[in-house]
Amino acid sequence: MLGCRLCGGLVDELLDLGRQPLANSFPRPDQTTDEFFYRLAMGACRDCSMMQLLEEVPRDLKYHDGYPYRASGSATHRDHFTSVATNFLARELSTKDAFVVEIGCNDGVMLARIAKAGVRHLGVEPAGGVAELAAAKGIDVLREFFEEETAVRIRSTHGPADVIFAANTICHIPYADSLMRGVAALLKPGGIFVFEEPYLGTVINGMAFDQLYDEHFYFFTVRSVQSMARRFGFELIDAEPTPLHGGSMRYTLALPGQRARTANVRSLLAQEEELTKPDTYRRFRSAVERIRHDLVGLLEQLKQDGRTVVGYGAPGKVTTVTNYCGIGPDLVPYVCDSTPSKQHRLVPGTHIPVRPPDAFRDPYPDYALLFAWNHADEIIAKEQAFLEAGGSWILYVPEVRVVRHVPAGR
Ligand code: DWN
Ligand code: SAH
Ligand code: ZN
């Protein structure tokens, strides 16, 4: 049994998805022989309840100049982060000379609005390619990993921050001690640390097992974040469900006594009791095995019947699901994705070619397997002509199903 990365407590293994390559390390066709593999398994700490991966991949292998994910790649995400920024501008950042730091700003999807408003800001982003895209939008970016030393330096050059914000990044940082000491060093006494991250409840109840990969080191719950906050001298003052990635949670931390705690925290804590029961994990494990069985069965049947299938979207999730299920180009000959830095490369491990979106229409396949299922509304609406041409979508969470018509209400 392993020790918890946060508190050293005993961690019980709950799910093992086998040996996996790095989710966002899309190799070129000539680079397939030296992929990095690790064991993708997760477990929960008996003491602090934090769900975490059992093996940690060194950060430089993941977040480097070639890191391909672009946060501005979907209209839904652009709208969401613009409204996050607008809300900060109306409240915490409305004071004179206010200062906001974003950890993991990626291509600047959130800070673009802040920079446009002329408010003092700094994005901290180690992945050079996306950091450059942010800088090109007029955003101030520090191309580094956020950790205690970085935070101390930012404070001495820029002064303390009114808001420290992160989205889908805090769960990527195994070294929570350095991170949280850094936040403590950088935040104004009355400031807030806000982060929104994938929610363990969504993963477990929505069978979203493909959210597990090397980058998502922690899967937070309100309970585990509260425990983490206290450990580092903070208080969890609010938790609020947010819609991205199938259902995330936004946590707000402050120094004790600085801000009133909302009623949300208590009610969400009560709702979480079911979530961490052994029976819940057992059901999750068998549902994941069922998805593998049904998805591979469906793809094999379609192949036998001479139907064409193409993958839609190459998110990090495509790596987990195709490697866990053993789905290669024999079952899904290619996937289409709008991200230039993924195109003409291969899905890690299973080596399914990634092509630009044009390849989807030329000609339409009979079936499209939607790997970017969290963008289903945006994508199905955008590709309405595919359904009208007689095409069908295959979704695989929370269970394998085929969608043949435009869902009602659209
Ligand atoms: O936490 C993380 C989140 C923020 O982003 C990172 N660890 C990595 C990444 O996760 P992901 O790769 O699962 O993110 P998405 O947003 O589910 O990726 C969607 C993919 O689908 C992108 O590669 C873009 C693509 N896409 C497309 O081809 N056409 C997306 C849309 C909306 C489209 O119309
Ligand atoms: N905030 C964006 C991007 C999330 S992807 C969104 O919500 O869509 C995670 C980002 O965190 C990547 O761009 C990665 O390079 C960055 N990252 C990973 N570790 C980090 C660290 N220690 N400090 C700052 N950024 C980090
Ligand atoms: Zn622990």
Side-chain angles (χ1 to χ4, degrees):
M1 211 164 312
L2 292 159
C4 171
R5 187 71 168 87
L6 260 178
C7 78
L10 292 178
V11 173
D12 293 311
E13 180 173 323
L14 298 170
L15 184 70
D16 183 353
L17 296 178
R19 299 211 49 86
Q20 292 265 354
L22 305 184
N24 270 309
S25 192
F26 290 79
R28 287 195 312 262
D30 61 336
Q31 285 175 326
T32 53
T33 49
D34 58 353
E35 288 179 285
F36 181 95
F37 280 80
Y38 69 103
R39 183 169 88 100
L40 177 58
M42 74 170 186
C45 173
R46 285 185 195 177
D47 291 345
C48 74
S49 85
M50 185 64 82
M51 186 69 82
Q52 54 201 277
L53 296 191
L54 304 185
E55 208 174 290
E56 181 179 339
V57 173
R59 64 187 192 179
D60 306 284
L61 294 181
K62 296 181 276 191
Y63 316 113
H64 44 67
D65 290 356
Y67 182 71
Y69 182 69
R70 291 180 176 195
S72 297
S74 97
T76 318
H77 286 199
R78 287 193 299 274
D79 292 349
H80 173 79
F81 287 113
T82 302
S83 94
V84 167
T86 304
N87 285 334
F88 282 141
L89 289 171
R91 297 189 193 119
E92 280 77 17
L93 301 178
S94 63
T95 54
K96 191 171 164 290
D97 210 30
F99 178 45
V100 55
V101 172
E102 183 176 16
I103 307 174
C105 70
N106 196 271
D107 64 0
V109 67
M110 197 286 285
L111 286 179
R113 173 83 185 81
I114 305 275
K116 211 167 150 200
V119 168
R120 281 204 309 133
H121 63 273
L122 185 65
V124 185
E125 175 52 67
V130 289
E132 236 164 72
L133 295 173
K137 292 173 184 157
I139 294 164
D140 294 331
V141 193
L142 190 63
R143 288 167 206 201
E144 286 183 32
F145 286 96
F146 185 94
E147 55 194 13
E148 187 179 10
E149 185 273 327
T150 331
V152 169
R153 199 157 17 94
I154 295 171
R155 178 170 179 137
S156 70
T157 49
H158 294 70
D162 298 87
V163 176
I164 300 179
F165 177 73
N168 305 296
T169 299
I170 301 308
C171 72
H172 293 54
I173 304 182
Y175 39 100
D177 45 355
S178 172
L179 162 83
M180 294 300 289
R181 285 199 306 266
V183 169
L186 180 56
L187 201 62
K188 256 187 203 166
I192 48 171
F193 176 30
V194 182
F195 50 99
E196 46 176 88
E197 308 284 322
Y199 183 55
L200 181 68
T202 303
V203 173
I204 301 274
N205 297 326
M207 309 309 165
F209 68 99
D210 54 354
Q211 280 283 49
L212 269 75
Y213 50 87
D214 55 303
E215 295 176 26
H216 294 168
F217 188 81
Y218 294 119
F219 285 96
F220 296 142
T221 57
V222 176
R223 181 171 161 218
S224 63
V225 169
Q226 176 168 265
S227 154
M228 179 172 88
R230 286 183 180 152
R231 166 168 285 272
F232 297 103
F234 285 92
E235 192 185 357
L236 175 66
I237 55 160
D238 192 25
E240 187 194 352
T242 61
L244 298 194
H245 299 286
S248 300
M249 192 69 77
R250 178 186 299 144
Y251 306 94
T252 304
L253 271 54
L255 288 173
Q258 292 285 340
R259 304 251 180 160
R261 185 168 131 156
T262 66
N264 285 1
V265 176
R266 181 173 304 177
S267 65
L268 286 164
L269 281 171
Q271 285 172 34
E272 280 179 357
E273 304 238 317
E274 266 312 295
L275 188 61
T276 48
K277 291 195 169 144
D279 247 11
T280 309
Y281 295 137
R282 252 194 300 279
R283 275 200 302 276
F284 177 57
R285 266 197 304 272
S286 39
V288 171
E289 283 166 16
R290 172 98 217 181
I291 289 174
R292 171 165 66 179
H293 172 270
D294 291 354
L295 183 57
V296 173
L298 174 63
L299 294 174
E300 282 173 345
Q301 186 61 52
L302 292 174
K303 189 179 173 179
Q304 254 180 39
D305 296 347
R307 305 292 176 154
T308 52
V309 181
V310 161
Y312 201 105
K317 299 178 279 284
V318 75
T319 300
T320 300
V321 62
T322 59
N323 282 276
Y324 170 67
C325 297
I327 296 169
D330 54 324
L331 292 178
V332 178
Y334 56 93
V335 302
C336 298
D337 192 284
S338 56
T339 316
S341 42
K342 295 180 184 177
Q343 293 161 4
H344 312 296
R345 292 179 170 251
L346 306 172
V347 172
T350 48
H351 302 160
I352 300 171
V354 183
R355 299 199 179 153
D358 287 356
F360 182 60
R361 287 160 215 124
D362 187 24
Y364 280 130
D366 297 317
Y367 290 80
L369 175 51
L370 187 53
F371 291 113
W373 51 259
N374 47 317
H375 298 280
D377 287 352
E378 181 176 338
I379 290 173
I380 293 176
K382 184 193 301 185
E383 299 290 0
Q384 202 173 337
F386 168 59
L387 286 178
E388 284 162 6
S392 303
W393 291 99
I394 301 172
L395 289 130
Y396 57 88
V397 292
E399 64 199 351
V400 176
R401 64 197 193 284
V402 174
V403 176
R404 290 210 166 79
H405 52 83
V406 181
R410 191 163 292 120

